[in-house]
């Protein structure tokens, strides 16, 4: 279910960079061949064709995806996911903000963000968006710890660290114990061309509302949503929910973390957006959590957030 255009993007990642990421040490365009028990570098990397060729075992013609498959013993789809993850390529999510810029050289200034989130403020834009427009419960907003800004604020103490634009919601991302990992800004202004979602550089938080898992009872229903707004609607409806930006961006350790909870094996739910990315998310997640239960929205609703704001009293049965 990976669109052809995305596969092409993965195939265009320089083969040398991929070999580097795989730890093959591609000095002078040659590295040890992962397809046979290679003692000396015999895999040649062809820059022009973006492919490899092993003169010993004859492995040839493959590109970045094949190299990952051979090296990490992954299926085609898993190799694509790995490559996408390593290179910040978002599969079938082009219309979404590439929010999760991960840059291993940069670390999020958590001290600064903690100070920023210390005192919660809900300005008029935030209240209008959350309560009037989206019908999010006040209790949920308080519990999750959402704040807002009316004028731009820096993302870190470093002056070059970038700015949160305003007016925006400030949405905290925490670990299971509630420790702040990063803050996502959700732009509420009307100016065209501004990114709707922003994370500080170096943010490594893939899952929103992880702290809900702390009190998750054995086998209790848990919803996986796409994006924070749907998640807030789910929480307002009284469901327990986490949000992920996209299945392809789930890191292996995130998946391992979720798997520790029985609910993700037995009582895991999704109400995917009624569009192609929603469908892809469902299928991708189904591959990770096979017991995932799909809920179909009534005709005419694009996503759960919209359903909730129109039909607020209705909960999904699970
Ligand atoms: Zn070989």
């Amino acid at each position: 279910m990976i669109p052809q255009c995305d596969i092409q993007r993965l195939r265009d990642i320089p083969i040398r960079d991929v070999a580097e990421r795989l730890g093959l040490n591609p000095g002078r365009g040659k590295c040890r061949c992962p397809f046979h028990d290679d003692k000396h570098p015999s895999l040649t990397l062809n820059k022009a064709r973006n492919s490899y060729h092993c003169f010993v075992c004859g492995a040839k013609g493959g590109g970045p995806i094949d190299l990952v498959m051979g090296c990490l013993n992954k299926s085609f789809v898993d190799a694509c996911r790995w490559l996408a993850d390593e290179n910040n390529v978002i599969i079938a999510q082009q219309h979404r903000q590439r929010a999760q810029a991960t840059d291993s050289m940069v670390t999020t200034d958590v001290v600064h963000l903690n100070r920023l989130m210390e005192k919660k403020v809900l300005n008029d834009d935030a209240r209008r968006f959350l309560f009037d427009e989206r019908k999010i419960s006040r209790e949920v907003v308080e519990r999750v710890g959402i704040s807002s800004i009316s004028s731009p604020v820096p993302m870190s103490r470093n002056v070059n660290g970038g700015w949160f634009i305003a007016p925006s919601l400030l949405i905290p991302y925490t670990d299971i114990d509630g420790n702040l990992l990063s803050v996502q800004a959700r732009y509420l202004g009307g100016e065209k061309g501004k990114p709707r979602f922003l994370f500080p550089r170096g943010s490594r938080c893939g899952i929103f509302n992880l702290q809900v898992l702390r009190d998750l009872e054995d086998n209790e229903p848990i919803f996986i949503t796409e994006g924070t707004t749907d998640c807030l609607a789910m929480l307002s409806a009284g469901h327990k929910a986490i949000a992920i930006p996209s299945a392809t961006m789930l890191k292996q350790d995130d998946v391992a973390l979720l798997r520790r909870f029985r609910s993700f094996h037995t009582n895991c739910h999704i109400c995917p957006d009624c569009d192609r990315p929603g469908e892809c998310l469902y299928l991708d997640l189904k591959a990770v959590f096979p017991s995932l239960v799909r809920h179909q929205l009534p005709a005419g609703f694009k996503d759960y957030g919209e359903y909730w704001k129109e039909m607020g009293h209705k909960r999904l049965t699970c």
Side-chain angles (χ1 to χ4, degrees):
M1 276 309 286
I2 300 176
Q4 203 55 44
C5 55
D6 291 332
I7 291 173
Q8 195 52 51
R9 283 160 74 205
L10 298 176
R11 289 201 165 122
D12 290 341
I13 298 169
I15 189 93
R16 212 196 126 91
D17 296 358
V18 177
E20 191 104 52
R21 292 263 185 172
L22 289 166
L24 295 174
N25 300 323
R28 292 167 186 259
K30 271 193 156 195
C31 59
R32 283 194 317 165
C33 173
F35 301 97
H36 78 271
D37 186 18
D38 201 5
K39 300 282 184 278
H40 307 284
S42 44
L43 193 78
T44 306
L45 303 176
N46 186 319
K47 195 177 165 189
R49 295 180 180 204
N50 210 37
S51 67
Y52 56 76
H53 187 162
C54 174
F55 290 93
V56 176
C57 72
K60 67 173 176 183
I65 300 171
D66 306 275
L67 192 59
V68 173
M69 286 169 73
C71 217
L72 302 180
N73 200 19
K74 285 183 183 295
S75 68
F76 179 82
V77 171
D78 285 347
C80 287
R81 288 209 184 100
W82 185 90
L83 262 181
D85 210 10
E86 287 289 317
N87 294 278
N88 278 321
V89 172
I90 299 180
I91 293 174
Q93 299 281 324
Q94 295 97 322
H95 74 293
R96 309 249 161 201
Q97 184 58 31
R98 209 171 95 168
Q100 235 70 359
T102 47
D103 184 341
S104 53
M105 301 305 287
V106 185
T107 48
T108 314
D109 189 348
V110 180
V111 173
H112 171 80
L113 293 177
N114 261 309
R115 200 169 304 146
L116 185 63
M117 298 301 282
E118 215 163 42
K119 195 170 167 287
K120 309 285 186 293
V121 180
L122 285 184
N123 59 27
D124 288 346
D125 290 303
R127 275 200 294 264
R128 190 164 48 236
F129 176 78
L130 291 169
F131 304 139
D132 302 344
E133 223 175 277
R134 300 290 171 141
K135 309 277 186 263
I136 305 300
S137 120
R138 278 158 207 273
E139 187 268 328
V140 166
V141 169
E142 206 166 294
R143 177 151 41 98
V144 171
I146 291 175
S147 190
S148 62
I149 45 172
S150 305
S151 50
V153 295
M155 289 172 164
S156 70
R157 284 166 296 182
N158 182 331
V159 285
N160 300 320
W163 289 70
F164 288 119
I165 54 176
S168 281
L169 290 180
L170 296 181
I171 302 166
Y173 275 59
T174 71
D175 63 14
I176 289 191
D177 298 317
N179 300 308
L180 190 70
L181 297 177
S182 191
V183 170
Q184 181 189 38
R186 202 292 185 188
Y187 181 58
L188 298 176
E191 224 177 296
K192 286 229 166 74
K194 297 259 186 187
R196 209 146 66 94
F197 292 102
L198 268 184
F199 270 111
R201 285 177 72 204
S203 294
R204 280 213 160 253
C205 39
I207 305 176
F208 170 66
N209 202 33
L210 268 181
Q211 67 270 35
V212 80
L213 300 180
R214 203 173 25 178
D215 309 315
L216 190 71
E217 278 166 41
D218 198 30
N219 214 22
E220 195 178 357
I222 181 81
F223 272 88
I224 303 180
T225 65
E226 187 183 9
T228 44
T229 325
D230 267 8
C231 190
L232 294 174
M234 277 281 172
L235 296 171
S236 300
H239 298 294
K240 293 210 165 164
I242 56 166
I244 61 167
S246 81
T248 50
M249 294 196 57
L250 267 183
K251 308 246 181 232
Q252 284 309 310
D253 40 344
D254 284 339
V255 173
L257 172 77
L258 299 183
R259 283 213 172 109
R260 275 171 31 205
F261 296 87
R262 212 164 97 86
S263 294
F264 286 94
H265 300 277
T266 57
N267 209 349
C268 180
H269 301 260
I270 188 169
C271 186
D273 292 2
C274 298
D275 55 16
R276 205 176 70 128
E279 192 61 30
C280 289
L281 177 73
Y282 165 69
L283 292 170
D284 284 345
L285 279 175
K286 184 84 179 164
V288 182
F289 305 108
S291 66
L292 185 67
V293 177
R294 175 193 191 134
H295 295 257
Q296 192 75 48
L297 288 171
F301 293 103
K302 195 176 84 16
D303 58 33
Y304 182 79
E306 205 171 83
Y307 174 75
W308 167 251
K309 109 186 151 187
E310 302 298 328
M311 315 280 290
H313 56 287
K314 284 211 174 176
R315 271 184 68 160
L316 299 170
T317 41
C318 36

